[in-house]
Amino acid sequence: MTYVGIGLYGGNGHQLALEQPLNGGGVVATCALPDATGRVRQYADMADLLADSEVTLVAICAPRRDMQAAVIRQALMAGKHVY
């Protein structure tokens, strides 16, 4: 099974927690997630999160919903899976 490295973008209602145990994957990085702590990498810019080769899926909860479509498109264009 392939490990799924998850990047969390935004803090507007994620269904995934930073330390949530997942079978076959886990959160490896965040961006624009207020109060993120722990062992994951924290990026200030979405482009840096998308450049992280360990991130294969990005869970997107944009700070503003009117940004959501553009951020999803950006992640897909970077070759990431999106949740």
Side-chain angles (χ1 to χ4, degrees):
M1 176 181 357
T2 302
Y3 183 84
V4 177
I6 301 168
L8 300 179
Y9 176 77
N12 196 8
H14 280 289
Q15 289 80 26
L16 301 172
L18 284 174
E19 302 295 328
Q20 182 174 347
L22 299 170
N23 186 17
V27 177
V28 297
T30 68
C31 179
L33 185 62
D35 303 323
T37 60
R39 298 178 299 242
V40 302
R41 291 178 294 287
Q42 297 174 35
Y43 295 109
D45 186 74
M46 180 64 161
D48 294 331
L49 176 76
L50 296 176
D52 187 327
S53 63
E54 287 188 51
V55 174
T56 56
L57 179 143
V58 182
I60 297 174
C61 289
R64 293 185 14 224
R65 291 295 182 209
D66 63 349
M67 299 171 54
Q68 193 99 333
V71 175
I72 290 169
R73 200 170 12 262
Q74 185 180 4
L76 291 171
M77 295 301 292
K80 306 297 183 181
H81 297 279
V82 172
Y83 173 68

